[in-house]
Amino acid sequence: MLQLQPSAVATTIQQGGVIAYPTEAVFGLGCDPDNDKAIEKLLMVKQRPWQKGLILVASSFEQLLPYLDLQQLTESQLQFAHSKWPGPFTFVMPVKPQVSKLLCGDFDSIAVRVSAHPVVRELCDTLNKPLVSTSANLAGEPPVVDAQQIITDFSDKIEALIIGQLGEQRQPSTIIDARSGQILRSGS
């Protein structure tokens, strides 16, 4: 596994690689959301069923537009999401029909976040697209908050660990249903 700066990882991701990277609270595993083979690899590494769906993380809302069906949201629902971004808030929004089931799982929606974390933003800006984002741990295990643990657990399973510090959040992001406003997971 390579340890890379965010600017050096674009080729790895574009070639279908899975990476670990720091986020607001925990290390995440990520890959290209438009590469089903990369998503399958990420799910296998994490031992996560595809039916649960995944999160997309971006540096701007515009990067998420190819994946979202905004016709199903009201202006006030969108304004509420925008009032929380960038930041540690993930919103479940309607997904476009052509989006891979590996991303949205058994749902007609997808979880998305516009991140304030500098490493995440640099990665997404370098790729000019969002990244798949799921906590860097095996399914059912606690999220990883130490880079050395990434090396121990995933060194032979992923292509790169992105160098950087975790943000100041102590819990994974709050997840909110954009349509109902219901909090699905509290980050506090």
mmCIF file of all heavy atoms in Angstrom, residues 17-64:
data_model
loop_
_atom_site.group_PDB
_atom_site.id
_atom_site.type_symbol
_atom_site.label_atom_id
_atom_site.label_comp_id
_atom_site.label_asym_id
_atom_site.label_seq_id
_atom_site.Cartn_x
_atom_site.Cartn_y
_atom_site.Cartn_z
ATOM 1 N N GLY A 17 -8.602 1.835 -8.202
ATOM 2 C CA GLY A 17 -8.047 1.556 -6.889
ATOM 3 C C GLY A 17 -8.971 1.972 -5.758
ATOM 4 O O GLY A 17 -9.819 2.857 -5.910
ATOM 5 N N VAL A 18 -8.791 1.318 -4.611
ATOM 6 C CA VAL A 18 -9.491 1.665 -3.376
ATOM 7 C C VAL A 18 -8.472 2.338 -2.463
ATOM 8 O O VAL A 18 -7.343 1.863 -2.328
ATOM 9 C CB VAL A 18 -10.096 0.420 -2.705
ATOM 10 C CG1 VAL A 18 -10.699 0.758 -1.349
ATOM 11 C CG2 VAL A 18 -11.150 -0.211 -3.618
ATOM 12 N N ILE A 19 -8.876 3.433 -1.846
ATOM 13 C CA ILE A 19 -7.978 4.190 -0.984
ATOM 14 C C ILE A 19 -8.588 4.346 0.412
ATOM 15 O O ILE A 19 -9.797 4.215 0.589
ATOM 16 C CB ILE A 19 -7.680 5.591 -1.563
ATOM 17 C CG1 ILE A 19 -8.962 6.433 -1.648
ATOM 18 C CG2 ILE A 19 -7.005 5.477 -2.930
ATOM 19 C CD1 ILE A 19 -8.734 7.911 -1.875
ATOM 20 N N ALA A 20 -7.722 4.633 1.371
ATOM 21 C CA ALA A 20 -8.161 5.051 2.701
ATOM 22 C C ALA A 20 -7.742 6.509 2.851
ATOM 23 O O ALA A 20 -6.665 6.897 2.384
ATOM 24 C CB ALA A 20 -7.514 4.189 3.777
ATOM 25 N N TYR A 21 -8.579 7.306 3.496
ATOM 26 C CA TYR A 21 -8.277 8.727 3.639
ATOM 27 C C TYR A 21 -8.952 9.291 4.881
ATOM 28 O O TYR A 21 -9.974 8.771 5.336
ATOM 29 C CB TYR A 21 -8.719 9.497 2.386
ATOM 30 C CG TYR A 21 -10.177 9.334 2.046
ATOM 31 C CD1 TYR A 21 -11.110 10.273 2.448
ATOM 32 C CD2 TYR A 21 -10.615 8.238 1.310
ATOM 33 C CE1 TYR A 21 -12.454 10.127 2.134
ATOM 34 C CE2 TYR A 21 -11.948 8.086 0.986
ATOM 35 C CZ TYR A 21 -12.862 9.037 1.406
ATOM 36 O OH TYR A 21 -14.196 8.882 1.101
ATOM 37 N N PRO A 22 -8.367 10.357 5.447
ATOM 38 C CA PRO A 22 -8.958 10.965 6.639
ATOM 39 C C PRO A 22 -10.192 11.784 6.279
ATOM 40 O O PRO A 22 -10.249 12.402 5.213
ATOM 41 C CB PRO A 22 -7.835 11.856 7.172
ATOM 42 C CG PRO A 22 -7.020 12.198 5.969
ATOM 43 C CD PRO A 22 -7.120 11.011 5.052
ATOM 44 N N THR A 23 -11.182 11.751 7.165
ATOM 45 C CA THR A 23 -12.383 12.577 7.008
ATOM 46 C C THR A 23 -12.562 13.401 8.285
ATOM 47 O O THR A 23 -11.656 13.497 9.104
ATOM 48 C CB THR A 23 -13.638 11.712 6.743
ATOM 49 O OG1 THR A 23 -13.990 11.009 7.930
ATOM 50 C CG2 THR A 23 -13.434 10.749 5.588
ATOM 51 N N GLU A 24 -13.739 13.949 8.464
ATOM 52 C CA GLU A 24 -14.015 14.799 9.626
ATOM 53 C C GLU A 24 -13.832 14.073 10.956
ATOM 54 O O GLU A 24 -13.433 14.679 11.938
ATOM 55 C CB GLU A 24 -15.451 15.350 9.550
ATOM 56 C CG GLU A 24 -15.684 16.371 8.468
ATOM 57 C CD GLU A 24 -16.059 15.800 7.114
ATOM 58 O OE1 GLU A 24 -15.912 14.581 6.885
ATOM 59 O OE2 GLU A 24 -16.501 16.570 6.254
ATOM 60 N N ALA A 25 -14.131 12.769 11.005
ATOM 61 C CA ALA A 25 -14.112 12.049 12.288
ATOM 62 C C ALA A 25 -13.322 10.746 12.257
ATOM 63 O O ALA A 25 -12.723 10.367 13.251
ATOM 64 C CB ALA A 25 -15.541 11.749 12.740
ATOM 65 N N VAL A 26 -13.368 10.024 11.152
ATOM 66 C CA VAL A 26 -12.753 8.698 11.057
ATOM 67 C C VAL A 26 -12.071 8.571 9.702
ATOM 68 O O VAL A 26 -12.268 9.402 8.820
ATOM 69 C CB VAL A 26 -13.814 7.574 11.216
ATOM 70 C CG1 VAL A 26 -14.519 7.664 12.557
ATOM 71 C CG2 VAL A 26 -14.819 7.596 10.075
ATOM 72 N N PHE A 27 -11.287 7.518 9.531
ATOM 73 C CA PHE A 27 -10.744 7.241 8.210
ATOM 74 C C PHE A 27 -11.844 6.606 7.362
ATOM 75 O O PHE A 27 -12.656 5.833 7.856
ATOM 76 C CB PHE A 27 -9.531 6.308 8.289
ATOM 77 C CG PHE A 27 -8.266 7.035 8.617
ATOM 78 C CD1 PHE A 27 -7.894 7.230 9.931
ATOM 79 C CD2 PHE A 27 -7.471 7.561 7.610
ATOM 80 C CE1 PHE A 27 -6.739 7.916 10.250
ATOM 81 C CE2 PHE A 27 -6.318 8.264 7.911
ATOM 82 C CZ PHE A 27 -5.946 8.449 9.239
ATOM 83 N N GLY A 28 -11.852 6.955 6.097
ATOM 84 C CA GLY A 28 -12.815 6.402 5.161
ATOM 85 C C GLY A 28 -12.132 5.539 4.127
ATOM 86 O O GLY A 28 -10.934 5.672 3.878
ATOM 87 N N LEU A 29 -12.899 4.634 3.538
ATOM 88 C CA LEU A 29 -12.472 3.904 2.355
ATOM 89 C C LEU A 29 -13.226 4.508 1.190
ATOM 90 O O LEU A 29 -14.423 4.800 1.299
ATOM 91 C CB LEU A 29 -12.813 2.414 2.464
ATOM 92 C CG LEU A 29 -12.072 1.595 3.499
ATOM 93 C CD1 LEU A 29 -12.614 0.162 3.515
ATOM 94 C CD2 LEU A 29 -10.573 1.596 3.237
ATOM 95 N N GLY A 30 -12.539 4.697 0.079
ATOM 96 C CA GLY A 30 -13.195 5.320 -1.058
ATOM 97 C C GLY A 30 -12.693 4.806 -2.381
ATOM 98 O O GLY A 30 -11.656 4.142 -2.471
ATOM 99 N N CYS A 31 -13.468 5.136 -3.419
ATOM 100 C CA CYS A 31 -13.119 4.771 -4.787
ATOM 101 C C CYS A 31 -13.959 5.626 -5.736
ATOM 102 O O CYS A 31 -14.768 6.445 -5.309
ATOM 103 C CB CYS A 31 -13.358 3.277 -5.029
ATOM 104 S SG CYS A 31 -15.097 2.783 -4.969
ATOM 105 N N ASP A 32 -13.754 5.402 -7.019
ATOM 106 C CA ASP A 32 -14.484 6.105 -8.071
ATOM 107 C C ASP A 32 -15.945 5.630 -8.072
ATOM 108 O O ASP A 32 -16.207 4.438 -8.251
ATOM 109 C CB ASP A 32 -13.827 5.804 -9.410
ATOM 110 C CG ASP A 32 -14.460 6.507 -10.595
ATOM 111 O OD1 ASP A 32 -15.601 7.010 -10.489
ATOM 112 O OD2 ASP A 32 -13.811 6.543 -11.645
ATOM 113 N N PRO A 33 -16.908 6.537 -7.886
ATOM 114 C CA PRO A 33 -18.313 6.115 -7.856
ATOM 115 C C PRO A 33 -18.863 5.674 -9.214
ATOM 116 O O PRO A 33 -19.962 5.129 -9.280
ATOM 117 C CB PRO A 33 -19.040 7.368 -7.358
ATOM 118 C CG PRO A 33 -18.170 8.496 -7.777
ATOM 119 C CD PRO A 33 -16.759 7.977 -7.681
ATOM 120 N N ASP A 34 -18.092 5.879 -10.276
ATOM 121 C CA ASP A 34 -18.547 5.491 -11.610
ATOM 122 C C ASP A 34 -17.877 4.202 -12.099
ATOM 123 O O ASP A 34 -17.986 3.852 -13.265
ATOM 124 C CB ASP A 34 -18.281 6.624 -12.602
ATOM 125 C CG ASP A 34 -19.029 7.887 -12.204
ATOM 126 O OD1 ASP A 34 -20.225 7.793 -11.859
ATOM 127 O OD2 ASP A 34 -18.412 8.969 -12.208
ATOM 128 N N ASN A 35 -17.173 3.507 -11.206
ATOM 129 C CA ASN A 35 -16.460 2.288 -11.570
ATOM 130 C C ASN A 35 -16.997 1.136 -10.716
ATOM 131 O O ASN A 35 -16.604 0.968 -9.561
ATOM 132 C CB ASN A 35 -14.957 2.496 -11.350
ATOM 133 C CG ASN A 35 -14.130 1.303 -11.769
ATOM 134 O OD1 ASN A 35 -14.587 0.159 -11.740
ATOM 135 N ND2 ASN A 35 -12.889 1.566 -12.153
ATOM 136 N N ASP A 36 -17.900 0.340 -11.288
ATOM 137 C CA ASP A 36 -18.521 -0.756 -10.533
ATOM 138 C C ASP A 36 -17.501 -1.771 -10.010
ATOM 139 O O ASP A 36 -17.674 -2.313 -8.920
ATOM 140 C CB ASP A 36 -19.585 -1.469 -11.370
ATOM 141 C CG ASP A 36 -20.923 -0.743 -11.372
ATOM 142 O OD1 ASP A 36 -21.056 0.282 -10.660
ATOM 143 O OD2 ASP A 36 -21.841 -1.201 -12.071
ATOM 144 N N LYS A 37 -16.451 -2.045 -10.773
ATOM 145 C CA LYS A 37 -15.435 -2.994 -10.299
ATOM 146 C C LYS A 37 -14.731 -2.455 -9.056
ATOM 147 O O LYS A 37 -14.451 -3.203 -8.118
ATOM 148 C CB LYS A 37 -14.432 -3.306 -11.405
ATOM 149 C CG LYS A 37 -15.033 -4.136 -12.533
ATOM 150 C CD LYS A 37 -13.985 -4.964 -13.222
ATOM 151 C CE LYS A 37 -14.548 -5.789 -14.343
ATOM 152 N NZ LYS A 37 -15.586 -6.719 -13.979
ATOM 153 N N ALA A 38 -14.458 -1.148 -9.021
ATOM 154 C CA ALA A 38 -13.832 -0.537 -7.845
ATOM 155 C C ALA A 38 -14.787 -0.589 -6.651
ATOM 156 O O ALA A 38 -14.367 -0.883 -5.526
ATOM 157 C CB ALA A 38 -13.433 0.900 -8.152
ATOM 158 N N ILE A 39 -16.073 -0.336 -6.893
ATOM 159 C CA ILE A 39 -17.064 -0.386 -5.805
ATOM 160 C C ILE A 39 -17.177 -1.811 -5.272
ATOM 161 O O ILE A 39 -17.227 -2.029 -4.056
ATOM 162 C CB ILE A 39 -18.433 0.147 -6.273
ATOM 163 C CG1 ILE A 39 -18.322 1.606 -6.727
ATOM 164 C CG2 ILE A 39 -19.476 0.013 -5.161
ATOM 165 C CD1 ILE A 39 -19.536 2.108 -7.490
ATOM 166 N N GLU A 40 -17.198 -2.788 -6.169
ATOM 167 C CA GLU A 40 -17.246 -4.190 -5.741
ATOM 168 C C GLU A 40 -16.036 -4.535 -4.878
ATOM 169 O O GLU A 40 -16.165 -5.220 -3.861
ATOM 170 C CB GLU A 40 -17.315 -5.120 -6.958
ATOM 171 C CG GLU A 40 -18.656 -5.105 -7.645
ATOM 172 C CD GLU A 40 -18.647 -5.841 -8.984
ATOM 173 O OE1 GLU A 40 -17.560 -6.249 -9.469
ATOM 174 O OE2 GLU A 40 -19.735 -5.994 -9.563
ATOM 175 N N LYS A 41 -14.864 -4.053 -5.280
ATOM 176 C CA LYS A 41 -13.656 -4.308 -4.495
ATOM 177 C C LYS A 41 -13.777 -3.672 -3.111
ATOM 178 O O LYS A 41 -13.474 -4.304 -2.103
ATOM 179 C CB LYS A 41 -12.424 -3.777 -5.217
ATOM 180 C CG LYS A 41 -11.150 -4.009 -4.422
ATOM 181 C CD LYS A 41 -9.924 -3.535 -5.157
ATOM 182 C CE LYS A 41 -8.695 -3.805 -4.288
ATOM 183 N NZ LYS A 41 -7.462 -3.419 -4.937
ATOM 184 N N LEU A 42 -14.231 -2.429 -3.057
ATOM 185 C CA LEU A 42 -14.400 -1.739 -1.774
ATOM 186 C C LEU A 42 -15.359 -2.517 -0.872
ATOM 187 O O LEU A 42 -15.074 -2.725 0.308
ATOM 188 C CB LEU A 42 -14.905 -0.324 -2.007
ATOM 189 C CG LEU A 42 -15.117 0.522 -0.772
ATOM 190 C CD1 LEU A 42 -14.772 1.978 -1.068
ATOM 191 C CD2 LEU A 42 -16.532 0.438 -0.280
ATOM 192 N N LEU A 43 -16.475 -2.969 -1.425
ATOM 193 C CA LEU A 43 -17.449 -3.736 -0.638
ATOM 194 C C LEU A 43 -16.854 -5.048 -0.139
ATOM 195 O O LEU A 43 -17.106 -5.460 0.998
ATOM 196 C CB LEU A 43 -18.711 -3.999 -1.468
ATOM 197 C CG LEU A 43 -19.564 -2.767 -1.778
ATOM 198 C CD1 LEU A 43 -20.588 -3.084 -2.853
ATOM 199 C CD2 LEU A 43 -20.237 -2.237 -0.522
ATOM 200 N N MET A 44 -16.025 -5.679 -0.971
ATOM 201 C CA MET A 44 -15.387 -6.926 -0.575
ATOM 202 C C MET A 44 -14.379 -6.663 0.558
ATOM 203 O O MET A 44 -14.351 -7.397 1.549
ATOM 204 C CB MET A 44 -14.682 -7.568 -1.767
ATOM 205 C CG MET A 44 -14.089 -8.928 -1.463
ATOM 206 S SD MET A 44 -13.219 -9.627 -2.890
ATOM 207 C CE MET A 44 -11.829 -8.508 -2.986
ATOM 208 N N VAL A 45 -13.570 -5.615 0.418
ATOM 209 C CA VAL A 45 -12.576 -5.273 1.446
ATOM 210 C C VAL A 45 -13.270 -4.998 2.780
ATOM 211 O O VAL A 45 -12.838 -5.461 3.833
ATOM 212 C CB VAL A 45 -11.743 -4.043 0.998
ATOM 213 C CG1 VAL A 45 -10.979 -3.437 2.160
ATOM 214 C CG2 VAL A 45 -10.799 -4.432 -0.128
ATOM 215 N N LYS A 46 -14.366 -4.267 2.742
ATOM 216 C CA LYS A 46 -15.085 -3.895 3.951
ATOM 217 C C LYS A 46 -15.995 -5.026 4.457
ATOM 218 O O LYS A 46 -16.420 -5.001 5.598
ATOM 219 C CB LYS A 46 -15.914 -2.627 3.686
ATOM 220 C CG LYS A 46 -16.545 -2.056 4.941
ATOM 221 C CD LYS A 46 -17.182 -0.723 4.661
ATOM 222 C CE LYS A 46 -18.061 -0.290 5.793
ATOM 223 N NZ LYS A 46 -17.325 0.245 6.931
ATOM 224 N N GLN A 47 -16.267 -5.977 3.586
ATOM 225 C CA GLN A 47 -17.197 -7.070 3.883
ATOM 226 C C GLN A 47 -18.593 -6.512 4.161
ATOM 227 O O GLN A 47 -19.275 -6.905 5.105
ATOM 228 C CB GLN A 47 -16.686 -7.925 5.052
ATOM 229 C CG GLN A 47 -15.355 -8.574 4.767
ATOM 230 C CD GLN A 47 -14.769 -9.326 5.941
ATOM 231 O OE1 GLN A 47 -15.398 -9.489 6.975
ATOM 232 N NE2 GLN A 47 -13.546 -9.793 5.788
ATOM 233 N N ARG A 48 -19.004 -5.588 3.308
ATOM 234 C CA ARG A 48 -20.289 -4.908 3.459
ATOM 235 C C ARG A 48 -21.237 -5.375 2.359
ATOM 236 O O ARG A 48 -20.866 -5.380 1.183
ATOM 237 C CB ARG A 48 -20.076 -3.398 3.376
ATOM 238 C CG ARG A 48 -21.353 -2.573 3.488
ATOM 239 C CD ARG A 48 -21.028 -1.083 3.324
ATOM 240 N NE ARG A 48 -22.202 -0.257 3.287
ATOM 241 C CZ ARG A 48 -22.741 0.326 4.353
ATOM 242 N NH1 ARG A 48 -22.198 0.157 5.535
ATOM 243 N NH2 ARG A 48 -23.813 1.077 4.228
ATOM 244 N N PRO A 49 -22.467 -5.734 2.685
ATOM 245 C CA PRO A 49 -23.434 -6.108 1.645
ATOM 246 C C PRO A 49 -23.776 -4.896 0.762
ATOM 247 O O PRO A 49 -23.994 -3.800 1.274
ATOM 248 C CB PRO A 49 -24.667 -6.555 2.433
ATOM 249 C CG PRO A 49 -24.297 -6.584 3.872
ATOM 250 C CD PRO A 49 -23.028 -5.840 4.037
ATOM 251 N N TRP A 50 -23.843 -5.107 -0.539
ATOM 252 C CA TRP A 50 -24.132 -4.007 -1.457
ATOM 253 C C TRP A 50 -25.506 -3.414 -1.201
ATOM 254 O O TRP A 50 -25.754 -2.243 -1.475
ATOM 255 C CB TRP A 50 -23.999 -4.454 -2.911
ATOM 256 C CG TRP A 50 -25.073 -5.414 -3.350
ATOM 257 C CD1 TRP A 50 -25.028 -6.762 -3.311
ATOM 258 C CD2 TRP A 50 -26.367 -5.076 -3.870
ATOM 259 N NE1 TRP A 50 -26.212 -7.294 -3.772
ATOM 260 C CE2 TRP A 50 -27.052 -6.281 -4.130
ATOM 261 C CE3 TRP A 50 -27.007 -3.867 -4.154
ATOM 262 C CZ2 TRP A 50 -28.329 -6.321 -4.645
ATOM 263 C CZ3 TRP A 50 -28.305 -3.904 -4.677
ATOM 264 C CH2 TRP A 50 -28.942 -5.119 -4.915
ATOM 265 N N GLN A 51 -26.421 -4.209 -0.659
ATOM 266 C CA GLN A 51 -27.803 -3.774 -0.474
ATOM 267 C C GLN A 51 -27.923 -2.577 0.481
ATOM 268 O O GLN A 51 -28.909 -1.855 0.445
ATOM 269 C CB GLN A 51 -28.660 -4.926 0.053
ATOM 270 C CG GLN A 51 -28.847 -6.046 -0.932
ATOM 271 C CD GLN A 51 -27.749 -7.114 -0.868
ATOM 272 O OE1 GLN A 51 -26.684 -6.923 -0.296
ATOM 273 N NE2 GLN A 51 -28.012 -8.259 -1.493
ATOM 274 N N LYS A 52 -26.929 -2.358 1.331
ATOM 275 C CA LYS A 52 -26.985 -1.257 2.303
ATOM 276 C C LYS A 52 -26.725 0.109 1.679
ATOM 277 O O LYS A 52 -27.047 1.131 2.278
ATOM 278 C CB LYS A 52 -25.962 -1.491 3.417
ATOM 279 C CG LYS A 52 -26.355 -2.591 4.374
ATOM 280 C CD LYS A 52 -25.303 -2.694 5.457
ATOM 281 C CE LYS A 52 -25.910 -3.114 6.757
ATOM 282 N NZ LYS A 52 -24.948 -3.067 7.849
ATOM 283 N N GLY A 53 -26.107 0.141 0.503
ATOM 284 C CA GLY A 53 -25.782 1.412 -0.126
ATOM 285 C C GLY A 53 -24.544 2.045 0.494
ATOM 286 O O GLY A 53 -24.013 1.571 1.501
ATOM 287 N N LEU A 54 -24.090 3.114 -0.128
ATOM 288 C CA LEU A 54 -22.870 3.805 0.276
ATOM 289 C C LEU A 54 -23.108 5.312 0.268
ATOM 290 O O LEU A 54 -24.115 5.790 -0.239
ATOM 291 C CB LEU A 54 -21.730 3.445 -0.681
ATOM 292 C CG LEU A 54 -21.297 1.978 -0.650
ATOM 293 C CD1 LEU A 54 -20.531 1.614 -1.911
ATOM 294 C CD2 LEU A 54 -20.463 1.701 0.593
ATOM 295 N N ILE A 55 -22.147 6.040 0.804
ATOM 296 C CA ILE A 55 -22.195 7.508 0.817
ATOM 297 C C ILE A 55 -21.283 8.039 -0.284
ATOM 298 O O ILE A 55 -20.228 7.470 -0.554
ATOM 299 C CB ILE A 55 -21.735 8.041 2.193
ATOM 300 C CG1 ILE A 55 -22.730 7.645 3.276
ATOM 301 C CG2 ILE A 55 -21.534 9.560 2.167
ATOM 302 C CD1 ILE A 55 -22.285 8.008 4.690
ATOM 303 N N LEU A 56 -21.703 9.135 -0.896
ATOM 304 C CA LEU A 56 -20.818 9.902 -1.770
ATOM 305 C C LEU A 56 -20.422 11.164 -1.029
ATOM 306 O O LEU A 56 -21.273 11.838 -0.435
ATOM 307 C CB LEU A 56 -21.524 10.295 -3.073
ATOM 308 C CG LEU A 56 -21.900 9.182 -4.031
ATOM 309 C CD1 LEU A 56 -22.528 9.773 -5.290
ATOM 310 C CD2 LEU A 56 -20.694 8.340 -4.394
ATOM 311 N N VAL A 57 -19.150 11.495 -1.069
ATOM 312 C CA VAL A 57 -18.651 12.709 -0.445
ATOM 313 C C VAL A 57 -18.045 13.575 -1.546
ATOM 314 O O VAL A 57 -17.411 13.061 -2.470
ATOM 315 C CB VAL A 57 -17.652 12.380 0.688
ATOM 316 C CG1 VAL A 57 -16.409 11.716 0.171
ATOM 317 C CG2 VAL A 57 -17.309 13.600 1.500
ATOM 318 N N ALA A 58 -18.285 14.890 -1.459
ATOM 319 C CA ALA A 58 -17.852 15.805 -2.514
ATOM 320 C C ALA A 58 -17.302 17.088 -1.908
ATOM 321 O O ALA A 58 -17.496 17.370 -0.724
ATOM 322 C CB ALA A 58 -19.036 16.122 -3.434
ATOM 323 N N SER A 59 -16.647 17.872 -2.759
ATOM 324 C CA SER A 59 -16.169 19.182 -2.318
ATOM 325 C C SER A 59 -17.169 20.276 -2.655
ATOM 326 O O SER A 59 -17.071 21.380 -2.136
ATOM 327 C CB SER A 59 -14.809 19.508 -2.937
ATOM 328 O OG SER A 59 -14.928 19.627 -4.336
ATOM 329 N N SER A 60 -18.123 19.957 -3.521
ATOM 330 C CA SER A 60 -19.171 20.929 -3.873
ATOM 331 C C SER A 60 -20.449 20.180 -4.222
ATOM 332 O O SER A 60 -20.404 19.010 -4.639
ATOM 333 C CB SER A 60 -18.739 21.774 -5.072
ATOM 334 O OG SER A 60 -18.711 20.982 -6.253
ATOM 335 N N PHE A 61 -21.572 20.844 -4.067
ATOM 336 C CA PHE A 61 -22.859 20.239 -4.417
ATOM 337 C C PHE A 61 -22.907 19.896 -5.903
ATOM 338 O O PHE A 61 -23.474 18.876 -6.300
ATOM 339 C CB PHE A 61 -23.997 21.196 -4.035
ATOM 340 C CG PHE A 61 -25.354 20.634 -4.323
ATOM 341 C CD1 PHE A 61 -25.834 19.534 -3.632
ATOM 342 C CD2 PHE A 61 -26.164 21.209 -5.286
ATOM 343 C CE1 PHE A 61 -27.092 19.007 -3.899
ATOM 344 C CE2 PHE A 61 -27.425 20.691 -5.557
ATOM 345 C CZ PHE A 61 -27.881 19.588 -4.860
ATOM 346 N N GLU A 62 -22.275 20.717 -6.725
ATOM 347 C CA GLU A 62 -22.292 20.501 -8.182
ATOM 348 C C GLU A 62 -21.713 19.131 -8.551
ATOM 349 O O GLU A 62 -22.160 18.507 -9.517
ATOM 350 C CB GLU A 62 -21.531 21.617 -8.895
ATOM 351 C CG GLU A 62 -22.247 22.962 -8.878
ATOM 352 C CD GLU A 62 -22.265 23.636 -7.496
ATOM 353 O OE1 GLU A 62 -21.359 23.378 -6.673
ATOM 354 O OE2 GLU A 62 -23.213 24.390 -7.245
ATOM 355 N N GLN A 63 -20.727 18.662 -7.791
ATOM 356 C CA GLN A 63 -20.147 17.349 -8.091
ATOM 357 C C GLN A 63 -21.160 16.216 -7.880
ATOM 358 O O GLN A 63 -21.012 15.147 -8.454
ATOM 359 C CB GLN A 63 -18.912 17.105 -7.217
ATOM 360 C CG GLN A 63 -17.738 17.976 -7.583
ATOM 361 C CD GLN A 63 -16.543 17.762 -6.671
ATOM 362 O OE1 GLN A 63 -16.667 17.212 -5.576
ATOM 363 N NE2 GLN A 63 -15.382 18.206 -7.117
ATOM 364 N N LEU A 64 -22.173 16.447 -7.065
ATOM 365 C CA LEU A 64 -23.176 15.420 -6.771
ATOM 366 C C LEU A 64 -24.324 15.385 -7.775
ATOM 367 O O LEU A 64 -25.077 14.413 -7.829
ATOM 368 C CB LEU A 64 -23.737 15.641 -5.360
ATOM 369 C CG LEU A 64 -22.717 15.551 -4.231
ATOM 370 C CD1 LEU A 64 -23.331 16.050 -2.927
ATOM 371 C CD2 LEU A 64 -22.197 14.127 -4.084
#
